[in-house]
Amino acid sequence: MPKRKRILTGDRPTGRLHIGHYVGSLISRVAMQDEYEQYILIADIQALTDNADNPDKVSSNVLEVAMDNLAAGIDSTKSTFVVQSMVSEIAELTVLFLNLVTVARLERNPTVKDEMRQKGYGSNVPAGFLTYPVSQAADILVFRADTVPAGDDQKPMVEQTNEIGTKFNNTYGDVFSYVTHVASITPRLPGIDGNTKMSKSLNNGIYLADTSETIRDKVMRMYTDPAHIHVDGPGNVEGNTVFAYLDVFDTNKEEVEELKTLYRRGGLGDVEIKIRLIHVLEKVLAPIRERREALNKNDVREIVHEGTLKAQKEATATMTAVREAMGINYF
Ligand code: TRP
């Protein structure tokens, strides 16, 4: 049997996962775990690059993120969880890679540039933050991943990974293979306030661990069409968060199209479409919530520990090849 291709995906553990993560990556992780050898990295070191003053926020979410993945349907006998900080080879490889990339190149990484602007770092950017793409290259290459499925924002990371891998090979000899980025196809789910991004800091997310009451409240507060004041008046479907969610989660596409027609024409109230969405979300989220509640934290810790031990062996083998290629294998 041919060797299965290896996938590496990851999350920064800065909070629990929300339904944006679910449609953007968890569904495809669950689908891919049969065909691929999948590593799921819990990137606590990367999370610390902009949370150095708040390590509790990161450490307290490591197991939570693993639980969200398991609740969504990740099977620990098929996928391997890895805690980034427990694989010291990643840090070792990062230091060696840092010599192969310029500061100017790091400053051109569009994703880092965006994040730096958002965080208002200016020239006071932590060096660890500016260089996290190098650490991410080490994540990807130390485990010899073939493919990184992730959002568009991660494409520059994979490009930089390949630049670093190529530079390494040309300088010291062939160790690393080319890595492909596969962009997720689902549209980004807006926050409940209509903001294009669902995020913890904007407090506009629906979380996999939310209760049915919380989901109900959040949907009822959801942004629709601010000009749609009377049920009888025509409403906008475009930019309407409730319809954006129905498009993603409602399996009865025909009825959704009929509702859109009615909403545009006038005569369909916001409350009615919201109640439909509450039911649709509950159907998706109830089984996830139940699986999550059935998880035992100590068992999850054990799963994550086992996975990390397995991954460490891979990382050790890669570092042996790296040291050999560089001639720094003294004893
Ligand atoms: N940068 C990713 C994010 O913000 C997380 C991540 C860290 C990652 N290392 C990775 C993703 C390696 C894929 C592969 O979501």
Side-chain angles (χ1 to χ4, degrees):
M1 219 175 79
K3 207 174 163 292
R4 285 186 304 164
K5 291 225 181 240
R6 187 173 293 166
I7 280 182
L8 178 66
T9 73
D11 305 296
R12 292 184 197 181
T14 52
R16 291 181 169 199
L17 301 185
H18 50 59
I19 59 175
H21 295 117
Y22 181 69
V23 296
S25 59
L26 297 178
I27 292 176
S28 81
R29 282 180 198 175
V30 172
M32 287 191 292
Q33 63 184 345
D34 292 314
E35 198 181 327
Y36 293 89
E37 190 188 358
Q38 179 164 250
Y39 280 37
I40 300 171
L41 185 76
I42 305 178
D44 60 339
I45 293 281
Q46 188 173 116
L48 283 167
T49 63
D50 60 336
N51 288 289
D53 55 348
N54 198 357
D56 285 353
K57 174 175 157 191
V58 175
S59 60
S60 66
N61 280 302
V62 167
L63 291 185
E64 297 295 336
V65 164
M67 288 200 275
D68 285 331
N69 274 276
L70 290 165
I74 290 298
D75 177 341
S76 64
T77 66
K78 295 177 182 165
S79 298
T80 304
F81 287 101
V82 188
V83 179
Q84 190 183 30
S85 65
M86 301 304 279
V87 183
S88 52
E89 286 81 358
I90 297 173
E92 211 180 310
L93 190 56
T94 301
V95 171
L96 299 173
F97 281 173
L98 279 168
N99 299 326
L100 305 177
V101 60
T102 66
V103 173
R105 174 64 182 90
L106 287 165
E107 285 170 343
R108 277 200 304 273
N109 184 306
T111 301
V112 174
K113 246 162 109 174
D114 274 355
E115 287 171 320
M116 277 175 57
R117 204 173 310 122
Q118 269 168 31
K119 291 171 202 291
Y121 279 143
S123 56
N124 289 321
V125 57
F129 188 83
L130 184 67
T131 56
Y132 90 70
V134 181
S135 164
Q136 188 159 336
D139 298 338
I140 296 168
L141 294 177
V142 90
F143 298 124
R144 298 170 175 272
D146 299 293
T147 303
V148 174
D152 278 341
D153 61 331
Q154 296 301 303
K155 194 166 179 229
M157 304 303 167
V158 179
E159 279 168 4
Q160 212 165 355
T161 299
N162 283 318
E163 281 175 33
I164 292 170
T166 304
K167 184 96 190 260
F168 185 99
N169 290 349
N170 291 341
T171 312
Y172 308 116
D174 271 354
V175 171
F176 298 113
S177 311
Y178 189 81
V179 184
T180 53
H181 168 257
V182 178
S184 46
I185 39 165
T186 35
R188 201 184 258 279
L189 206 59
I192 59 169
D193 56 356
N195 194 303
T196 51
K197 198 177 162 173
M198 184 180 286
S199 87
K200 181 122 196 150
S201 51
L202 296 170
N203 191 25
N204 64 0
I206 293 179
Y207 288 84
L208 294 183
D210 278 351
T211 63
S212 3
E213 293 73 42
T214 305
I215 290 168
R216 191 185 174 80
D217 287 349
K218 286 180 177 175
V219 173
M220 282 306 182
R221 278 193 279 127
M222 211 176 246
Y223 184 98
T224 56
D225 170 6
H228 186 234
I229 303 161
H230 303 291
V231 174
D232 293 340
N236 261 316
V237 166
E238 284 66 36
N240 187 316
T241 312
V242 177
F243 280 107
Y245 278 54
L246 287 173
D247 277 338
V248 172
F249 292 105
D250 198 323
T251 49
N252 194 334
K253 302 293 170 212
E254 225 168 275
E255 271 182 36
V256 172
E257 287 314 310
E258 281 165 24
L259 289 172
K260 285 182 183 172
T261 307
L262 197 57
Y263 194 85
R264 285 193 182 104
R265 196 168 61 206
L268 179 60
D270 285 353
V271 171
E272 203 171 316
I273 53 170
K274 284 181 170 179
I275 287 173
R276 182 181 179 104
L277 179 58
I278 288 167
H279 289 302
V280 165
L281 284 180
E282 188 58 19
K283 214 160 121 193
V284 175
L285 295 176
I288 297 177
R289 187 188 307 124
E290 279 160 28
R291 269 199 299 269
R292 204 182 196 288
E293 279 164 6
L295 291 168
N296 170 306
K297 213 160 186 170
N298 282 326
D299 294 346
V300 175
R301 183 179 288 106
E302 210 30 58
I303 286 169
V304 172
H305 187 185
E306 290 283 325
T308 303
L309 289 175
K310 178 180 151 196
Q312 271 170 349
K313 291 205 185 81
E314 287 291 323
T316 308
T318 301
M319 281 315 292
T320 301
V322 163
R323 283 179 165 276
E324 219 172 274
M326 296 180 70
I328 55 170
N329 52 341
Y330 308 110
F331 11 78

